[in-house]
Amino acid sequence: MIAIVQEIIDETPDTKTFRLAFEDKEYAKSFEWEPGQFVEVTVFGAGEAPIGFASDPNERSFFELTVVERGKVTRAMHALKKGEKVGIRGPFGNCWPLEDMKGKDVLIVSGGCGLAPLRPAILQILANRKEYGNFLLLYGARTPADRNYKYDLDAWAKRDDMQVLETVDVGDENWKGNVGVVTTLFDKMKVDGENTVALTCGPPIMIKFVTLELLKMGFSEDRIVTSQERYMKCGVGKCGHCCINHVYLCTEGPVFTYAQMKELFELKL
């Protein structure tokens, strides 16, 4: 289906958020997706790339995709202007287990652009805040300028029904917050490891050390959940580009518990 670029938000020096709306308004009314899922985006003349949803899943008039400028398709997407059109296939993949998390405390740990696929989950939880327990977000970026969704982070930090802790690898003259990797924030939080579900997304090295810390804190392997980034070409489990062992991430993922990753991918920390 064809979607039109309605708005472009500069998030960081190499990251933009695109607000898109389907050209066919009747199709838009029936278009539903869940936090954690993704679409295949075609930039005409450049190619197709998988990109996760990054907006409020309850918003039907538009959806947002946050894109880091890394390859041919994403460079072409960054060159788009308001009013231009892209092709959309999907939604594909599974979702964050938000229904199963109801009644439990929630810890979200994210780094860099890994906050993008978690943003819909955060907005969904906030929209149904009474159905979840304590809610804590830990977020790390390379520098203050590399913080994605600065407007959201500042707004969420002012809420009294969630806690937001941030860190950067390297501060600047205006940064007064924590400096260090995201796991340095663990000493500043209090969570009940037996009643908390952790959602994580970010660089693989960050996920590794976050998972190790969570296991030390008493989190069971099925309550550590992450989204696996891997190139997904067809989105329907046919081409094999995203296949790890016998698992197609585009259809059976991209969201997995640590227990599943250990079994399916023979993962060792």
Side-chain angles (χ1 to χ4, degrees):
M1 298 301 293
I2 299 299
I4 301 171
V5 178
Q6 287 191 325
E7 187 175 348
I8 303 171
I9 302 167
D10 291 319
E11 301 287 358
T12 75
D14 65 357
T15 305
K16 294 182 178 183
T17 293
F18 295 83
R19 179 170 293 182
L20 303 168
F22 284 112
E23 194 172 49
D24 185 333
K25 301 303 180 189
E26 289 302 312
Y27 179 78
K29 292 177 183 176
S30 63
F31 185 71
E32 296 183 355
W33 54 273
E34 298 290 336
Q37 290 189 296
F38 67 96
V39 287
E40 295 281 354
V41 182
T42 296
V43 182
F44 300 112
E48 187 181 60
I51 301 174
F53 290 101
S55 54
D56 185 346
N58 299 305
E59 174 59 62
R60 297 295 184 87
S61 61
F62 64 83
F63 57 95
E64 292 176 338
L65 306 174
T66 296
V67 180
V68 182
E69 187 177 15
R70 282 179 177 162
K72 179 182 177 182
V73 177
T74 54
R75 282 197 298 274
M77 197 159 180
H78 270 234
L80 292 173
K81 295 185 171 48
K82 287 175 63 174
E84 293 194 276
K85 298 177 181 180
V86 295
I88 299 292
R89 289 197 298 123
F92 298 120
N94 64 356
C95 57
W96 299 107
L98 298 180
E99 280 297 313
D100 295 339
M101 292 162 54
K102 288 181 176 178
K104 297 183 173 62
D105 296 343
V106 179
L107 169 64
I108 289 181
V109 187
S110 177
C113 61
L115 187 56
L118 285 164
R119 186 175 179 235
I122 294 170
L123 295 172
Q124 182 81 317
I125 291 169
L126 292 176
N128 301 278
R129 187 63 191 87
K130 293 181 179 178
E131 298 180 1
Y132 300 88
N134 295 330
F135 186 20
L136 174 61
L137 167 64
L138 308 185
Y139 179 62
R142 288 176 298 180
T143 71
D146 292 313
R147 297 163 64 230
N148 282 274
Y149 314 117
K150 300 175 183 67
Y151 41 93
D152 279 342
L153 290 166
D154 293 343
W156 293 338
K158 294 176 182 174
R159 295 180 66 113
D160 58 10
D161 59 356
M162 73 179 292
Q163 184 181 8
V164 178
L165 297 176
E166 287 192 72
T167 188
V168 296
D169 294 341
V170 181
D172 60 19
E173 64 276 13
N174 297 316
W175 180 255
K176 302 186 186 316
N178 192 74
V179 175
V181 296
V182 74
T183 49
T184 62
L185 296 174
F186 278 46
D187 291 338
K188 304 177 187 298
M189 69 176 188
K190 291 183 179 179
V191 298
D192 176 2
E194 296 184 354
N195 190 47
T196 304
V197 178
L199 308 183
T200 73
C201 191
I205 190 69
M206 184 212 84
I207 293 176
K208 172 182 177 179
F209 285 102
V210 165
T211 301
L212 285 170
E213 289 298 321
L214 294 174
L215 292 171
K216 289 179 187 174
M217 295 171 63
F219 279 74
S220 60
E221 294 178 351
D222 62 344
R223 285 186 290 106
I224 301 172
V225 189
T226 190
S227 181
Q228 291 291 304
E229 288 190 10
R230 194 176 181 89
Y231 185 62
M232 303 176 202
K233 190 172 181 63
C234 71
V236 292
K238 298 294 184 184
C239 72
H241 275 70
C242 66
C243 195
I244 301 178
N245 293 329
H246 61 286
V247 179
Y248 287 84
L249 269 67
C250 66
T251 56
E252 298 179 60
V255 175
F256 296 95
T257 67
Y258 174 58
Q260 291 173 315
M261 289 191 293
K262 274 184 64 178
E263 180 180 349
L264 298 174
F265 311 145
E266 300 174 354
L267 181 67
K268 295 179 180 178
L269 294 178

